[in-house]
Amino acid sequence: MCLKDMHLPLPALSSSLRIGNVEIRNRVALAPMSGVTDLPFRALAWRFGAGFVVTEMVASRELVCNAAESWVRLKNSGIEPHIVQLAGREAHWMAEAARIVEANGADIIDINMGCPAKKVTGGYSGSALMRDPDHALSLIEAIVKAVSVPVTLKMRLGWDENSINAPLIARRAEDAGVQAITIHGRTRMQFYSGKADWDAIRAVRDVISVPLIANGDVDTVADTTEILRRSGADAVMVGRSSQGRPWHAGVLAGARLHPDALEIARIFAEHYATMLEFYGPQIGIRHARKHVGWYMERFAPDLSSTDKAAILTSTDPDLVSDRVAAAIANSGVASVNEEMAA
């Protein structure tokens, strides 16, 4: 632990932060999550006070080759700053994709070196890049040289416990021009098991001067204070704890009041309707199912397993929206104040 940082005051999460020339309105961000942080989800999180939100990872080569899904992930609608995360394994495609997203309004480009999914690491992308720092740096350098907007990096502590190299890569990334770094406090081989190691993130703080964002198992207000204290980070990023509650980052940043059951029901209904509009009814119903499941798990405890199964397999959007919204509104969940303060 760096002794000079031991007694420095913790940054106020409601205060602004600068990444390069871009001002961030507060210090609690929504993590990019593939299959989760699509435009409907990001728009809600932004409206409810997240400091910044990041697109689902956009596959660089697929974007350059004009794949439809990549363009869907790239879409934005008045969210500022527009931060796009790119994934890939070849400098050429990453640089070309970076030029495309900059030309299409990206204010910041984030590099994915943290995704642990086998379908990503099996293609030598995501956290697999941490196994070869020299190659990883070639991608970073190519993107930084290709664009004029700030470039950031998101990664894990390392590939496994025997190769904790985030400090090495972070220092080299800053030297290459990266202007903020996010660290998830697990290795790739841990996936999401165990507890994120917030203390280990401090080793990155000790070797970089650009903003550091700490990620992993941040759920409550108390967590935000503790992860900042132990990591020395400038900001926090929340991921899975936002599933089923897109207002969560805003609550942690102190940007809004805690929603009660009726408001949660209204948010759910809006979220569901927006997904159907964004994707179209047939595709939207399928994409929305995971979100429906999270809302029911958190806020509709009285629904039986039979009822939940019927809702999740239904192809009638009105039935799904009405039944889940009613179950939430009648659940007796008065607020989430106690949960958030824990």
Side-chain angles (χ1 to χ4, degrees), residues 273-321:
T274 304
M275 290 195 73
L276 298 186
E277 180 181 358
F278 183 70
Y279 291 107
Q282 290 185 330
I283 296 175
I285 287 174
R286 295 198 301 272
H287 276 284
R289 281 174 179 156
K290 62 172 72 71
H291 296 276
V292 173
W294 290 323
Y295 279 101
M296 290 193 297
E297 181 180 352
R298 290 187 185 278
F299 303 113
D302 295 333
L303 281 174
S304 68
S305 57
T306 301
D307 287 338
K308 290 178 180 178
I311 290 169
L312 290 174
T313 56
S314 175
T315 57
D316 182 344
D318 291 333
L319 179 150
V320 173
S321 181

mmCIF file of all heavy atoms in Angstrom, residues 273-321:
data_model
loop_
_atom_site.group_PDB
_atom_site.id
_atom_site.type_symbol
_atom_site.label_atom_id
_atom_site.label_comp_id
_atom_site.label_asym_id
_atom_site.label_seq_id
_atom_site.Cartn_x
_atom_site.Cartn_y
_atom_site.Cartn_z
ATOM 1 N N ALA A 273 -41.306 -1.508 -22.185
ATOM 2 C CA ALA A 273 -41.878 -0.932 -23.407
ATOM 3 C C ALA A 273 -40.785 -0.376 -24.314
ATOM 4 O O ALA A 273 -40.850 -0.510 -25.549
ATOM 5 C CB ALA A 273 -42.868 0.170 -23.047
ATOM 6 N N THR A 274 -39.774 0.223 -23.719
ATOM 7 C CA THR A 274 -38.689 0.793 -24.502
ATOM 8 C C THR A 274 -37.889 -0.293 -25.206
ATOM 9 O O THR A 274 -37.451 -0.124 -26.352
ATOM 10 C CB THR A 274 -37.769 1.640 -23.603
ATOM 11 O OG1 THR A 274 -38.533 2.642 -22.935
ATOM 12 C CG2 THR A 274 -36.685 2.313 -24.426
ATOM 13 N N MET A 275 -37.696 -1.417 -24.554
ATOM 14 C CA MET A 275 -36.975 -2.524 -25.187
ATOM 15 C C MET A 275 -37.749 -3.064 -26.386
ATOM 16 O O MET A 275 -37.161 -3.374 -27.426
ATOM 17 C CB MET A 275 -36.701 -3.633 -24.177
ATOM 18 C CG MET A 275 -35.670 -3.268 -23.118
ATOM 19 S SD MET A 275 -35.056 -4.716 -22.205
ATOM 20 C CE MET A 275 -34.008 -5.499 -23.441
ATOM 21 N N LEU A 276 -39.057 -3.190 -26.243
ATOM 22 C CA LEU A 276 -39.862 -3.675 -27.363
ATOM 23 C C LEU A 276 -39.822 -2.702 -28.534
ATOM 24 O O LEU A 276 -39.764 -3.113 -29.697
ATOM 25 C CB LEU A 276 -41.311 -3.894 -26.917
ATOM 26 C CG LEU A 276 -41.553 -4.929 -25.817
ATOM 27 C CD1 LEU A 276 -43.043 -5.132 -25.613
ATOM 28 C CD2 LEU A 276 -40.874 -6.250 -26.122
ATOM 29 N N GLU A 277 -39.813 -1.412 -28.218
ATOM 30 C CA GLU A 277 -39.744 -0.409 -29.274
ATOM 31 C C GLU A 277 -38.370 -0.426 -29.940
ATOM 32 O O GLU A 277 -38.254 -0.302 -31.168
ATOM 33 C CB GLU A 277 -40.022 0.968 -28.687
ATOM 34 C CG GLU A 277 -39.969 2.096 -29.711
ATOM 35 C CD GLU A 277 -40.226 3.453 -29.079
ATOM 36 O OE1 GLU A 277 -40.487 3.522 -27.862
ATOM 37 O OE2 GLU A 277 -40.159 4.455 -29.818
ATOM 38 N N PHE A 278 -37.328 -0.585 -29.154
ATOM 39 C CA PHE A 278 -35.957 -0.519 -29.664
ATOM 40 C C PHE A 278 -35.630 -1.705 -30.570
ATOM 41 O O PHE A 278 -35.039 -1.544 -31.644
ATOM 42 C CB PHE A 278 -34.980 -0.466 -28.481
ATOM 43 C CG PHE A 278 -33.529 -0.313 -28.863
ATOM 44 C CD1 PHE A 278 -33.064 0.882 -29.400
ATOM 45 C CD2 PHE A 278 -32.634 -1.352 -28.667
ATOM 46 C CE1 PHE A 278 -31.726 1.033 -29.741
ATOM 47 C CE2 PHE A 278 -31.296 -1.213 -29.004
ATOM 48 C CZ PHE A 278 -30.839 -0.011 -29.540
ATOM 49 N N TYR A 279 -36.016 -2.914 -30.137
ATOM 50 C CA TYR A 279 -35.665 -4.121 -30.883
ATOM 51 C C TYR A 279 -36.771 -4.614 -31.817
ATOM 52 O O TYR A 279 -36.518 -5.445 -32.691
ATOM 53 C CB TYR A 279 -35.333 -5.257 -29.910
ATOM 54 C CG TYR A 279 -34.057 -5.062 -29.127
ATOM 55 C CD1 TYR A 279 -34.098 -4.737 -27.770
ATOM 56 C CD2 TYR A 279 -32.819 -5.199 -29.722
ATOM 57 C CE1 TYR A 279 -32.935 -4.562 -27.032
ATOM 58 C CE2 TYR A 279 -31.645 -5.030 -28.999
ATOM 59 C CZ TYR A 279 -31.713 -4.712 -27.657
ATOM 60 O OH TYR A 279 -30.556 -4.540 -26.939
ATOM 61 N N GLY A 280 -37.997 -4.126 -31.605
ATOM 62 C CA GLY A 280 -39.148 -4.717 -32.263
ATOM 63 C C GLY A 280 -39.761 -5.749 -31.335
ATOM 64 O O GLY A 280 -39.062 -6.352 -30.509
ATOM 65 N N PRO A 281 -41.069 -5.994 -31.426
ATOM 66 C CA PRO A 281 -41.766 -6.848 -30.444
ATOM 67 C C PRO A 281 -41.183 -8.251 -30.291
ATOM 68 O O PRO A 281 -40.958 -8.712 -29.168
ATOM 69 C CB PRO A 281 -43.203 -6.892 -30.965
ATOM 70 C CG PRO A 281 -43.342 -5.644 -31.763
ATOM 71 C CD PRO A 281 -42.006 -5.397 -32.388
ATOM 72 N N GLN A 282 -40.950 -8.957 -31.391
ATOM 73 C CA GLN A 282 -40.519 -10.353 -31.280
ATOM 74 C C GLN A 282 -39.137 -10.474 -30.657
ATOM 75 O O GLN A 282 -38.924 -11.240 -29.716
ATOM 76 C CB GLN A 282 -40.552 -11.022 -32.653
ATOM 77 C CG GLN A 282 -41.953 -11.246 -33.191
ATOM 78 C CD GLN A 282 -41.947 -12.024 -34.497
ATOM 79 O OE1 GLN A 282 -41.012 -11.957 -35.286
ATOM 80 N NE2 GLN A 282 -43.013 -12.777 -34.741
ATOM 81 N N ILE A 283 -38.181 -9.720 -31.177
ATOM 82 C CA ILE A 283 -36.820 -9.774 -30.633
ATOM 83 C C ILE A 283 -36.793 -9.133 -29.250
ATOM 84 O O ILE A 283 -36.109 -9.610 -28.344
ATOM 85 C CB ILE A 283 -35.841 -9.079 -31.585
ATOM 86 C CG1 ILE A 283 -35.784 -9.819 -32.920
ATOM 87 C CG2 ILE A 283 -34.446 -8.998 -30.965
ATOM 88 C CD1 ILE A 283 -34.937 -9.147 -33.973
ATOM 89 N N GLY A 284 -37.554 -8.050 -29.071
ATOM 90 C CA GLY A 284 -37.564 -7.353 -27.795
ATOM 91 C C GLY A 284 -38.032 -8.219 -26.646
ATOM 92 O O GLY A 284 -37.485 -8.144 -25.543
ATOM 93 N N ILE A 285 -39.052 -9.037 -26.876
ATOM 94 C CA ILE A 285 -39.537 -9.935 -25.820
ATOM 95 C C ILE A 285 -38.426 -10.856 -25.350
ATOM 96 O O ILE A 285 -38.252 -11.081 -24.148
ATOM 97 C CB ILE A 285 -40.749 -10.740 -26.335
ATOM 98 C CG1 ILE A 285 -41.984 -9.842 -26.423
ATOM 99 C CG2 ILE A 285 -41.034 -11.934 -25.422
ATOM 100 C CD1 ILE A 285 -43.181 -10.510 -27.065
ATOM 101 N N ARG A 286 -37.652 -11.383 -26.288
ATOM 102 C CA ARG A 286 -36.565 -12.299 -25.914
ATOM 103 C C ARG A 286 -35.451 -11.562 -25.165
ATOM 104 O O ARG A 286 -34.955 -12.049 -24.142
ATOM 105 C CB ARG A 286 -36.002 -12.991 -27.150
ATOM 106 C CG ARG A 286 -36.989 -13.913 -27.853
ATOM 107 C CD ARG A 286 -36.275 -14.880 -28.763
ATOM 108 N NE ARG A 286 -35.481 -14.213 -29.793
ATOM 109 C CZ ARG A 286 -35.936 -13.845 -30.978
ATOM 110 N NH1 ARG A 286 -37.211 -14.063 -31.288
ATOM 111 N NH2 ARG A 286 -35.148 -13.259 -31.862
ATOM 112 N N HIS A 287 -35.059 -10.399 -25.685
ATOM 113 C CA HIS A 287 -33.996 -9.638 -25.030
ATOM 114 C C HIS A 287 -34.405 -9.192 -23.631
ATOM 115 O O HIS A 287 -33.552 -9.063 -22.748
ATOM 116 C CB HIS A 287 -33.640 -8.411 -25.876
ATOM 117 C CG HIS A 287 -32.663 -8.677 -26.976
ATOM 118 N ND1 HIS A 287 -31.309 -8.849 -26.755
ATOM 119 C CD2 HIS A 287 -32.837 -8.798 -28.314
ATOM 120 C CE1 HIS A 287 -30.693 -9.057 -27.902
ATOM 121 N NE2 HIS A 287 -31.599 -9.042 -28.867
ATOM 122 N N ALA A 288 -35.685 -8.926 -23.450
ATOM 123 C CA ALA A 288 -36.147 -8.380 -22.172
ATOM 124 C C ALA A 288 -36.264 -9.431 -21.076
ATOM 125 O O ALA A 288 -36.364 -9.075 -19.899
ATOM 126 C CB ALA A 288 -37.501 -7.694 -22.365
ATOM 127 N N ARG A 289 -36.257 -10.705 -21.427
ATOM 128 C CA ARG A 289 -36.551 -11.732 -20.422
ATOM 129 C C ARG A 289 -35.597 -11.714 -19.245
ATOM 130 O O ARG A 289 -36.015 -11.876 -18.091
ATOM 131 C CB ARG A 289 -36.581 -13.111 -21.092
ATOM 132 C CG ARG A 289 -37.897 -13.370 -21.818
ATOM 133 C CD ARG A 289 -37.889 -14.658 -22.599
ATOM 134 N NE ARG A 289 -39.189 -14.856 -23.263
ATOM 135 C CZ ARG A 289 -39.375 -15.595 -24.333
ATOM 136 N NH1 ARG A 289 -38.338 -16.234 -24.891
ATOM 137 N NH2 ARG A 289 -40.583 -15.721 -24.863
ATOM 138 N N LYS A 290 -34.314 -11.525 -19.496
ATOM 139 C CA LYS A 290 -33.377 -11.502 -18.372
ATOM 140 C C LYS A 290 -33.675 -10.334 -17.440
ATOM 141 O O LYS A 290 -33.598 -10.465 -16.207
ATOM 142 C CB LYS A 290 -31.931 -11.450 -18.866
ATOM 143 C CG LYS A 290 -31.560 -10.215 -19.675
ATOM 144 C CD LYS A 290 -30.068 -10.153 -19.963
ATOM 145 C CE LYS A 290 -29.643 -11.179 -20.993
ATOM 146 N NZ LYS A 290 -30.127 -10.829 -22.353
ATOM 147 N N HIS A 291 -34.051 -9.180 -18.012
ATOM 148 C CA HIS A 291 -34.385 -8.019 -17.195
ATOM 149 C C HIS A 291 -35.667 -8.264 -16.401
ATOM 150 O O HIS A 291 -35.743 -7.927 -15.215
ATOM 151 C CB HIS A 291 -34.552 -6.790 -18.082
ATOM 152 C CG HIS A 291 -33.299 -6.389 -18.795
ATOM 153 N ND1 HIS A 291 -32.324 -5.609 -18.222
ATOM 154 C CD2 HIS A 291 -32.859 -6.688 -20.057
ATOM 155 C CE1 HIS A 291 -31.340 -5.426 -19.090
ATOM 156 N NE2 HIS A 291 -31.639 -6.073 -20.207
ATOM 157 N N VAL A 292 -36.662 -8.875 -17.050
ATOM 158 C CA VAL A 292 -37.902 -9.223 -16.352
ATOM 159 C C VAL A 292 -37.589 -10.122 -15.157
ATOM 160 O O VAL A 292 -38.108 -9.927 -14.053
ATOM 161 C CB VAL A 292 -38.885 -9.917 -17.311
ATOM 162 C CG1 VAL A 292 -40.101 -10.448 -16.549
ATOM 163 C CG2 VAL A 292 -39.337 -8.965 -18.415
ATOM 164 N N GLY A 293 -36.714 -11.097 -15.377
ATOM 165 C CA GLY A 293 -36.336 -12.003 -14.298
ATOM 166 C C GLY A 293 -35.691 -11.282 -13.136
ATOM 167 O O GLY A 293 -35.984 -11.580 -11.964
ATOM 168 N N TRP A 294 -34.814 -10.327 -13.424
ATOM 169 C CA TRP A 294 -34.144 -9.581 -12.349
ATOM 170 C C TRP A 294 -35.125 -8.714 -11.581
ATOM 171 O O TRP A 294 -35.058 -8.659 -10.346
ATOM 172 C CB TRP A 294 -33.026 -8.718 -12.932
ATOM 173 C CG TRP A 294 -31.849 -9.508 -13.440
ATOM 174 C CD1 TRP A 294 -31.326 -10.646 -12.891
ATOM 175 C CD2 TRP A 294 -31.078 -9.222 -14.616
ATOM 176 N NE1 TRP A 294 -30.266 -11.085 -13.652
ATOM 177 C CE2 TRP A 294 -30.084 -10.232 -14.707
ATOM 178 C CE3 TRP A 294 -31.112 -8.227 -15.584
ATOM 179 C CZ2 TRP A 294 -29.147 -10.257 -15.736
ATOM 180 C CZ3 TRP A 294 -30.186 -8.246 -16.611
ATOM 181 C CH2 TRP A 294 -29.204 -9.249 -16.679
ATOM 182 N N TYR A 295 -36.034 -8.041 -12.269
ATOM 183 C CA TYR A 295 -37.034 -7.237 -11.564
ATOM 184 C C TYR A 295 -37.888 -8.122 -10.655
ATOM 185 O O TYR A 295 -38.165 -7.763 -9.497
ATOM 186 C CB TYR A 295 -37.948 -6.514 -12.559
ATOM 187 C CG TYR A 295 -37.393 -5.234 -13.148
ATOM 188 C CD1 TYR A 295 -36.847 -5.205 -14.433
ATOM 189 C CD2 TYR A 295 -37.454 -4.039 -12.436
ATOM 190 C CE1 TYR A 295 -36.370 -4.028 -14.992
ATOM 191 C CE2 TYR A 295 -36.985 -2.844 -12.984
ATOM 192 C CZ TYR A 295 -36.435 -2.858 -14.261
ATOM 193 O OH TYR A 295 -35.961 -1.684 -14.806
ATOM 194 N N MET A 296 -38.311 -9.281 -11.173
ATOM 195 C CA MET A 296 -39.148 -10.158 -10.348
ATOM 196 C C MET A 296 -38.373 -10.678 -9.145
ATOM 197 O O MET A 296 -38.905 -10.749 -8.028
ATOM 198 C CB MET A 296 -39.679 -11.321 -11.187
ATOM 199 C CG MET A 296 -40.713 -10.915 -12.213
ATOM 200 S SD MET A 296 -41.609 -12.332 -12.945
ATOM 201 C CE MET A 296 -40.267 -13.203 -13.771
ATOM 202 N N GLU A 297 -37.118 -11.041 -9.365
ATOM 203 C CA GLU A 297 -36.311 -11.580 -8.263
ATOM 204 C C GLU A 297 -36.135 -10.553 -7.154
ATOM 205 O O GLU A 297 -36.206 -10.896 -5.958
ATOM 206 C CB GLU A 297 -34.944 -12.007 -8.799
ATOM 207 C CG GLU A 297 -34.033 -12.610 -7.742
ATOM 208 C CD GLU A 297 -32.683 -13.019 -8.314
ATOM 209 O OE1 GLU A 297 -32.517 -12.970 -9.553
ATOM 210 O OE2 GLU A 297 -31.790 -13.374 -7.518
ATOM 211 N N ARG A 298 -35.931 -9.303 -7.524
ATOM 212 C CA ARG A 298 -35.680 -8.272 -6.525
ATOM 213 C C ARG A 298 -36.957 -7.732 -5.881
ATOM 214 O O ARG A 298 -36.987 -7.464 -4.676
ATOM 215 C CB ARG A 298 -34.925 -7.089 -7.156
ATOM 216 C CG ARG A 298 -33.488 -7.378 -7.546
ATOM 217 C CD ARG A 298 -32.800 -6.086 -8.000
ATOM 218 N NE ARG A 298 -31.454 -6.302 -8.490
ATOM 219 C CZ ARG A 298 -30.363 -6.431 -7.724
ATOM 220 N NH1 ARG A 298 -30.499 -6.354 -6.401
ATOM 221 N NH2 ARG A 298 -29.177 -6.619 -8.259
ATOM 222 N N PHE A 299 -38.019 -7.553 -6.690
ATOM 223 C CA PHE A 299 -39.133 -6.736 -6.232
ATOM 224 C C PHE A 299 -40.504 -7.390 -6.313
ATOM 225 O O PHE A 299 -41.508 -6.731 -6.028
ATOM 226 C CB PHE A 299 -39.157 -5.427 -7.039
ATOM 227 C CG PHE A 299 -37.875 -4.658 -6.953
ATOM 228 C CD1 PHE A 299 -37.074 -4.501 -8.084
ATOM 229 C CD2 PHE A 299 -37.442 -4.124 -5.760
ATOM 230 C CE1 PHE A 299 -35.876 -3.795 -8.019
ATOM 231 C CE2 PHE A 299 -36.245 -3.426 -5.675
ATOM 232 C CZ PHE A 299 -35.462 -3.263 -6.803
ATOM 233 N N ALA A 300 -40.563 -8.655 -6.703
ATOM 234 C CA ALA A 300 -41.856 -9.350 -6.727
ATOM 235 C C ALA A 300 -41.726 -10.691 -6.017
ATOM 236 O O ALA A 300 -41.938 -11.756 -6.612
ATOM 237 C CB ALA A 300 -42.337 -9.529 -8.161
ATOM 238 N N PRO A 301 -41.389 -10.680 -4.731
ATOM 239 C CA PRO A 301 -41.102 -11.922 -4.006
ATOM 240 C C PRO A 301 -42.308 -12.833 -3.828
ATOM 241 O O PRO A 301 -42.138 -14.031 -3.566
ATOM 242 C CB PRO A 301 -40.583 -11.424 -2.653
ATOM 243 C CG PRO A 301 -41.216 -10.071 -2.483
ATOM 244 C CD PRO A 301 -41.253 -9.485 -3.858
ATOM 245 N N ASP A 302 -43.511 -12.286 -3.983
ATOM 246 C CA ASP A 302 -44.703 -13.104 -3.738
ATOM 247 C C ASP A 302 -45.139 -13.906 -4.968
ATOM 248 O O ASP A 302 -46.025 -14.763 -4.857
ATOM 249 C CB ASP A 302 -45.866 -12.221 -3.276
ATOM 250 C CG ASP A 302 -45.600 -11.577 -1.919
ATOM 251 O OD1 ASP A 302 -44.822 -12.169 -1.143
ATOM 252 O OD2 ASP A 302 -46.148 -10.489 -1.663
ATOM 253 N N LEU A 303 -44.542 -13.648 -6.104
ATOM 254 C CA LEU A 303 -44.875 -14.438 -7.291
ATOM 255 C C LEU A 303 -44.350 -15.860 -7.117
ATOM 256 O O LEU A 303 -43.194 -16.062 -6.739
ATOM 257 C CB LEU A 303 -44.269 -13.811 -8.549
ATOM 258 C CG LEU A 303 -44.993 -12.610 -9.165
ATOM 259 C CD1 LEU A 303 -44.157 -12.046 -10.307
ATOM 260 C CD2 LEU A 303 -46.374 -13.007 -9.669
ATOM 261 N N SER A 304 -45.176 -16.838 -7.420
ATOM 262 C CA SER A 304 -44.749 -18.227 -7.308
ATOM 263 C C SER A 304 -43.808 -18.577 -8.452
ATOM 264 O O SER A 304 -43.763 -17.881 -9.487
ATOM 265 C CB SER A 304 -45.964 -19.159 -7.343
ATOM 266 O OG SER A 304 -46.562 -19.126 -8.642
ATOM 267 N N SER A 305 -43.087 -19.646 -8.306
ATOM 268 C CA SER A 305 -42.192 -20.095 -9.377
ATOM 269 C C SER A 305 -42.985 -20.424 -10.642
ATOM 270 O O SER A 305 -42.508 -20.196 -11.759
ATOM 271 C CB SER A 305 -41.385 -21.310 -8.922
ATOM 272 O OG SER A 305 -42.241 -22.360 -8.514
ATOM 273 N N THR A 306 -44.195 -20.931 -10.465
ATOM 274 C CA THR A 306 -45.055 -21.225 -11.622
ATOM 275 C C THR A 306 -45.437 -19.944 -12.356
ATOM 276 O O THR A 306 -45.389 -19.869 -13.591
ATOM 277 C CB THR A 306 -46.319 -21.970 -11.178
ATOM 278 O OG1 THR A 306 -45.941 -23.185 -10.521
ATOM 279 C CG2 THR A 306 -47.212 -22.293 -12.371
ATOM 280 N N ASP A 307 -45.813 -18.915 -11.590
ATOM 281 C CA ASP A 307 -46.173 -17.633 -12.197
ATOM 282 C C ASP A 307 -44.971 -17.015 -12.910
ATOM 283 O O ASP A 307 -45.096 -16.481 -14.026
ATOM 284 C CB ASP A 307 -46.693 -16.669 -11.135
ATOM 285 C CG ASP A 307 -48.081 -17.036 -10.639
ATOM 286 O OD1 ASP A 307 -48.795 -17.751 -11.365
ATOM 287 O OD2 ASP A 307 -48.442 -16.618 -9.526
ATOM 288 N N LYS A 308 -43.808 -17.086 -12.278
ATOM 289 C CA LYS A 308 -42.610 -16.514 -12.894
ATOM 290 C C LYS A 308 -42.277 -17.213 -14.201
ATOM 291 O O LYS A 308 -41.939 -16.573 -15.199
ATOM 292 C CB LYS A 308 -41.430 -16.598 -11.931
ATOM 293 C CG LYS A 308 -41.537 -15.668 -10.732
ATOM 294 C CD LYS A 308 -40.356 -15.834 -9.790
ATOM 295 C CE LYS A 308 -40.467 -14.909 -8.590
ATOM 296 N NZ LYS A 308 -39.349 -15.090 -7.631
ATOM 297 N N ALA A 309 -42.375 -18.527 -14.188
ATOM 298 C CA ALA A 309 -42.089 -19.289 -15.413
ATOM 299 C C ALA A 309 -43.063 -18.930 -16.522
ATOM 300 O O ALA A 309 -42.677 -18.789 -17.691
ATOM 301 C CB ALA A 309 -42.143 -20.783 -15.113
ATOM 302 N N ALA A 310 -44.334 -18.765 -16.162
ATOM 303 C CA ALA A 310 -45.344 -18.410 -17.163
ATOM 304 C C ALA A 310 -45.063 -17.036 -17.758
ATOM 305 O O ALA A 310 -45.216 -16.817 -18.968
ATOM 306 C CB ALA A 310 -46.736 -18.452 -16.535
ATOM 307 N N ILE A 311 -44.642 -16.108 -16.916
ATOM 308 C CA ILE A 311 -44.327 -14.757 -17.392
ATOM 309 C C ILE A 311 -43.105 -14.776 -18.303
ATOM 310 O O ILE A 311 -43.094 -14.151 -19.370
ATOM 311 C CB ILE A 311 -44.106 -13.813 -16.192
ATOM 312 C CG1 ILE A 311 -45.436 -13.555 -15.478
ATOM 313 C CG2 ILE A 311 -43.457 -12.500 -16.629
ATOM 314 C CD1 ILE A 311 -45.293 -12.868 -14.135
ATOM 315 N N LEU A 312 -42.075 -15.509 -17.913
ATOM 316 C CA LEU A 312 -40.827 -15.512 -18.681
ATOM 317 C C LEU A 312 -40.960 -16.230 -20.021
ATOM 318 O O LEU A 312 -40.164 -15.989 -20.929
ATOM 319 C CB LEU A 312 -39.707 -16.155 -17.854
ATOM 320 C CG LEU A 312 -39.227 -15.332 -16.652
ATOM 321 C CD1 LEU A 312 -38.234 -16.126 -15.824
ATOM 322 C CD2 LEU A 312 -38.599 -14.016 -17.110
ATOM 323 N N THR A 313 -41.934 -17.104 -20.145
ATOM 324 C CA THR A 313 -42.123 -17.816 -21.411
ATOM 325 C C THR A 313 -43.254 -17.235 -22.254
ATOM 326 O O THR A 313 -43.494 -17.686 -23.372
ATOM 327 C CB THR A 313 -42.413 -19.307 -21.156
ATOM 328 O OG1 THR A 313 -43.548 -19.435 -20.291
ATOM 329 C CG2 THR A 313 -41.202 -19.989 -20.519
ATOM 330 N N SER A 314 -43.923 -16.228 -21.734
ATOM 331 C CA SER A 314 -45.056 -15.641 -22.448
ATOM 332 C C SER A 314 -44.578 -14.861 -23.676
ATOM 333 O O SER A 314 -43.517 -14.230 -23.664
ATOM 334 C CB SER A 314 -45.833 -14.704 -21.529
ATOM 335 O OG SER A 314 -46.860 -14.034 -22.246
ATOM 336 N N THR A 315 -45.373 -14.891 -24.723
ATOM 337 C CA THR A 315 -45.104 -14.090 -25.915
ATOM 338 C C THR A 315 -46.092 -12.935 -26.034
ATOM 339 O O THR A 315 -46.163 -12.281 -27.074
ATOM 340 C CB THR A 315 -45.190 -14.966 -27.181
ATOM 341 O OG1 THR A 315 -46.490 -15.581 -27.250
ATOM 342 C CG2 THR A 315 -44.109 -16.036 -27.173
ATOM 343 N N ASP A 316 -46.841 -12.681 -24.956
ATOM 344 C CA ASP A 316 -47.814 -11.596 -24.907
ATOM 345 C C ASP A 316 -47.207 -10.440 -24.107
ATOM 346 O O ASP A 316 -47.161 -10.490 -22.875
ATOM 347 C CB ASP A 316 -49.099 -12.077 -24.242
ATOM 348 C CG ASP A 316 -50.181 -11.001 -24.202
ATOM 349 O OD1 ASP A 316 -49.860 -9.814 -24.402
ATOM 350 O OD2 ASP A 316 -51.348 -11.358 -23.962
ATOM 351 N N PRO A 317 -46.721 -9.392 -24.767
ATOM 352 C CA PRO A 317 -46.039 -8.319 -24.039
ATOM 353 C C PRO A 317 -46.943 -7.605 -23.044
ATOM 354 O O PRO A 317 -46.472 -7.174 -21.988
ATOM 355 C CB PRO A 317 -45.558 -7.383 -25.151
ATOM 356 C CG PRO A 317 -46.397 -7.707 -26.329
ATOM 357 C CD PRO A 317 -46.731 -9.151 -26.214
ATOM 358 N N ASP A 318 -48.229 -7.454 -23.361
ATOM 359 C CA ASP A 318 -49.135 -6.789 -22.428
ATOM 360 C C ASP A 318 -49.285 -7.599 -21.143
ATOM 361 O O ASP A 318 -49.314 -7.040 -20.038
ATOM 362 C CB ASP A 318 -50.504 -6.583 -23.074
ATOM 363 C CG ASP A 318 -50.462 -5.560 -24.205
ATOM 364 O OD1 ASP A 318 -49.589 -4.678 -24.170
ATOM 365 O OD2 ASP A 318 -51.294 -5.666 -25.124
ATOM 366 N N LEU A 319 -49.387 -8.923 -21.300
ATOM 367 C CA LEU A 319 -49.495 -9.782 -20.115
ATOM 368 C C LEU A 319 -48.252 -9.646 -19.244
ATOM 369 O O LEU A 319 -48.351 -9.496 -18.019
ATOM 370 C CB LEU A 319 -49.700 -11.234 -20.544
ATOM 371 C CG LEU A 319 -49.822 -12.283 -19.436
ATOM 372 C CD1 LEU A 319 -50.716 -13.437 -19.875
ATOM 373 C CD2 LEU A 319 -48.449 -12.846 -19.025
ATOM 374 N N VAL A 320 -47.065 -9.705 -19.865
ATOM 375 C CA VAL A 320 -45.822 -9.614 -19.101
ATOM 376 C C VAL A 320 -45.744 -8.279 -18.372
ATOM 377 O O VAL A 320 -45.500 -8.225 -17.153
ATOM 378 C CB VAL A 320 -44.606 -9.784 -20.036
ATOM 379 C CG1 VAL A 320 -43.307 -9.514 -19.273
ATOM 380 C CG2 VAL A 320 -44.589 -11.179 -20.640
ATOM 381 N N SER A 321 -45.953 -7.189 -19.095
ATOM 382 C CA SER A 321 -45.825 -5.867 -18.493
ATOM 383 C C SER A 321 -46.829 -5.667 -17.363
ATOM 384 O O SER A 321 -46.467 -5.220 -16.265
ATOM 385 C CB SER A 321 -46.025 -4.799 -19.568
ATOM 386 O OG SER A 321 -45.878 -3.511 -19.021
#
